[in-house]
Amino acid sequence: MKIRPGFSNTVLTAELLVDCVRQAGNVFYFAPAKDLDFPRPGISRAVTRTDGGYRVTLTSEYLARNVFLSCDIDGFFTDNYFDVLPGETVRVDFTPAEQGAGREPEFHVRSLVDIGR
C-alpha cells in the first residue's frame, strides 16, 4: 500500500468522557510505525519523590509516540510504551525493587523517533 502525502504525519485522537471526566482515550495512526514522520517531540520530564518511590511527570512539545521509560536501578513503572500528546501531562510512578538503594536513580526517556539514532 502506498501512503498518500500527509498520512505519515496525521493522527486522530478520541476520548471517552463521562460527566466531563476523561475515562479513556486513544490515538489512531494512518500509517505503519516505520513510515511515521513526526518531528523530535521535545519531551520534558520532572522526577519527584513519593512515598515508596518516584513520580516521573512528562510533557511534550510535539506528539511523542511509544514513549519508553527506563531506570538504572531495578523497579516497576505503573505504565510504559505510551503516547504523549502536545500539551498533555502524563504521570508515571516508579517503585524501586529494593528500598533504600543509597543513591538517587537515573531515569531515561525515549520515544519512537529515538530508535536507530
Side-chain angles (χ1 to χ4, degrees):
M1 174 176 125
K2 185 156 175 90
I3 297 172
R4 289 182 264 165
F7 278 28
S8 63
N9 60 9
T10 302
V11 298
L12 171 70
T13 62
E15 290 185 324
L16 172 64
L17 303 175
V18 176
D19 295 327
C20 297
V21 176
R22 184 178 191 263
Q23 300 296 316
N26 207 343
V27 180
F28 299 94
Y29 297 87
F30 297 97
K34 68 179 183 68
D35 295 326
L36 293 176
D37 183 24
F38 293 111
R40 295 193 68 75
I43 300 170
S44 298
R45 73 160 195 255
V47 178
T48 55
R49 282 185 166 272
T50 62
D51 290 338
Y54 299 86
R55 173 163 290 155
V56 181
T57 303
L58 304 169
T59 58
S60 183
E61 185 177 354
Y62 299 102
L63 172 71
R65 171 95 162 130
N66 289 1
V67 173
F68 171 69
L69 300 173
S70 61
C71 187
D72 65 343
I73 64 172
D74 290 336
F76 306 94
F77 289 99
T78 54
D79 198 2
N80 224 335
Y81 290 106
F82 50 83
D83 298 338
V84 180
L85 296 170
E88 177 182 56
T89 299
V90 175
R91 292 173 186 86
V92 178
D93 291 329
F94 176 80
T95 304
E98 295 181 24
Q99 295 297 327
R103 65 177 178 80
E104 290 294 310
E106 188 174 320
F107 293 92
H108 305 279
V109 181
R110 296 185 69 180
S111 70
L112 185 65
V113 298
D114 296 315
I115 294 174
R117 292 183 181 177

